[in-house]
Amino acid sequence: MPRLFKLNPTPALFAGLVLSLAVPLSAAAHHGWGWTETAESRLAGEIRSISLGNPHAHLEVENADGLWDVDLAPPYATERAGFVEGVAKPGDRASFTGHRSKDANEKRFKAETITVNGKTYDVYPRREKSMKPQA
């Protein structure tokens, strides 16, 4: 008859298991909405850089308060909204509706809409919004 092995977890094994579960949860929190304020707000400024890659589109936007990191939706959603390469470039003025960071010391913004060159792109069309975009 085959011999069965009994697993005796050690503290190191337990710590490794906890750590392996914590890393994906922290990554998911960064890309969700948990880091943002509940209330919607506006942001406007001059685009300094644009990245439309994964895990989400990202812009750097400068205004009188300084340089802001602005996250949009993942590439498939920004593309579906029409916000694709060429519709905006560094130097363009843009305005956003969305949610700023809960940390008032951070200049981070999670945008639901972006308006640039007279056109508004709703990158989260299924999210309920309390503010209308401004041109």
Side-chain angles (χ1 to χ4, degrees):
M1 181 159 184
R3 191 172 174 175
L4 298 175
F5 294 95
K6 185 176 182 182
L7 180 62
N8 185 13
T10 65
L13 178 65
F14 180 72
L17 177 63
V18 169
L19 196 63
S20 69
L21 293 173
V23 170
L25 291 176
S26 66
H30 169 75
H31 295 292
W33 296 83
W35 60 271
T36 64
E37 292 180 344
T38 302
E40 285 182 62
S41 58
R42 298 183 193 282
L43 178 71
E46 185 175 320
I47 298 171
R48 293 294 181 206
S49 68
I50 302 173
S51 168
L52 298 178
N54 282 312
H56 44 74
H58 178 84
L59 294 89
E60 287 185 326
V61 176
E62 189 169 11
N63 65 15
D65 294 329
L67 191 63
W68 288 78
D69 287 322
V70 179
D71 290 339
L72 294 176
Y76 67 87
T78 55
E79 185 176 318
R80 186 173 50 228
F83 191 76
V84 295
E85 192 169 334
V87 300
K89 64 186 180 316
D92 287 345
R93 298 254 338 136
S95 62
F96 306 87
T97 61
H99 304 262
R100 70 169 294 152
S101 174
K102 286 179 183 175
D103 182 344
N105 295 318
E106 286 186 329
K107 289 184 177 60
R108 290 180 61 205
F109 195 85
K110 179 83 169 187
E112 295 172 328
T113 68
I114 175 173
T115 302
V116 63
N117 297 319
K119 184 165 170 68
T120 297
Y121 304 89
D122 186 346
V123 298
Y124 285 102
R126 293 188 178 132
R127 281 189 63 89
E128 189 174 322
K129 297 169 185 67
S130 64
M131 300 183 100
K132 293 194 183 296
Q134 292 179 326

